[in-house]
Amino acid sequence: MGRLIAPVLIGLLGVAVLVSLGVWQVQRLHWKEGVLAEIEARITADPVAVPEVPDPETDRYLPVQALGEIGPGELRVLISAKGIGPAYRIIAPFRTIDGRRLMVDRGYVPDAAKDADRPGGSAVVTGNLHWPDEVDRFTPDNDVAGNVWFARDVQVMADALETEPVLIVARTTSETASPVTPLPVDTSGIPNDHLQYAVTWFGLALVWVLMTGLWVLRIVRGTA
């Protein structure tokens, strides 16, 4: 009987640790769902004027509306659009009626239309301020000469377009028959993998129970 103490204790300890990790991930899941709900509510709130000095943290996702003119000199950011394949986000300079130079992410065009003419002109843009976090050590260098960008780096794009480092991701515009399909901000790109982690920890706990049971069974049979 004394030979069973060690495997039982190890089994109980292992299961307790794995189950506690699974419970922690469930708690994180509920927390993350709450955060995403808050962000979604913020994204879809009534738009306001663009702040004079937007803050990349507190004003992220802020719904805004701006009246002005979409100018020439767009930047094209390579993406993969669901159901379409290679496509390009179109980032254009936007001069507001009070003389500010901002940027607007007009949306995307398929690869075949990347060189098509996209006139700008006067427009009312409704969307969200955003400072995308798309640059890491694996991001290729932008092909500035070929106008192929691989990430929306707000400061770098602002330098290239000679604008403020402020990006409005359009939800809608007043343009008639716009050649660009809006790709508005939403929460789909924010990772929420806590359910997968919870299932993994609970699954490992079950495997631990089974392995402990086999260990105990072998000891019992060996003793018999």
Side-chain angles (χ1 to χ4, degrees):
M1 190 67 181
R3 298 175 61 188
L4 298 177
I5 294 177
V8 170
L9 287 177
I10 292 173
L12 291 174
L13 179 62
V15 169
V17 171
L18 293 170
V19 169
S20 66
L21 289 171
V23 170
W24 176 64
Q25 287 297 336
V26 170
Q27 294 170 341
R28 294 282 293 175
L29 173 64
H30 294 323
W31 167 80
K32 192 61 171 286
E33 288 176 340
V35 170
L36 292 176
E38 289 179 5
I39 293 174
E40 193 64 44
R42 177 177 174 81
I43 288 172
T44 57
D46 293 335
V48 299
V50 179
E52 284 296 323
V53 186
D55 182 87
E57 294 302 323
T58 58
D59 291 322
R60 189 181 298 265
Y61 309 120
L62 180 69
V64 297
Q65 187 174 80
L67 171 63
E69 183 174 310
I70 299 173
E74 68 184 30
L75 305 179
R76 300 196 291 253
V77 182
L78 181 64
I79 62 170
S80 178
K82 186 176 181 180
I84 295 178
Y88 287 87
R89 281 185 179 270
I90 304 302
I91 313 297
F94 185 81
R95 182 182 292 276
T96 66
I97 57 172
D98 56 358
R100 297 177 66 182
R101 279 182 60 84
L102 312 178
M103 293 180 291
V104 60
D105 181 336
R106 300 177 68 182
Y108 74 90
V109 296
D111 179 65
K114 68 178 181 179
D115 294 319
D117 183 40
R118 277 176 287 276
S122 298
V124 178
V125 176
T126 303
N128 299 86
L129 297 184
H130 197 28
W131 288 264
D133 185 12
E134 297 177 345
V135 179
D136 57 29
R137 61 193 181 93
F138 300 107
T139 305
D141 292 334
N142 297 314
D143 178 8
V144 178
N147 199 8
V148 178
W149 295 62
F150 297 99
R152 289 176 297 169
D153 188 323
V154 171
Q155 184 61 64
V156 175
M157 292 191 305
D159 291 342
L161 293 175
E162 298 182 341
T163 70
E164 296 179 35
V166 178
L167 175 67
I168 304 173
V169 181
R171 300 184 73 82
T172 61
T173 73
S174 61
E175 298 175 272
T176 302
S178 173
V180 183
T181 303
L183 197 60
V185 172
D186 60 26
T187 57
S188 62
I190 302 176
N192 184 14
D193 301 322
H194 297 295
L195 179 59
Q196 290 177 250
Y197 297 151
V199 170
T200 298
W201 289 122
F202 288 136
L204 289 173
L206 178 60
V207 171
W208 196 280
V209 169
L210 294 175
M211 295 300 293
T212 301
L214 289 174
W215 188 7
V216 170
L217 183 61
R218 290 184 64 183
I219 292 173
V220 171
R221 285 179 175 177
T223 302

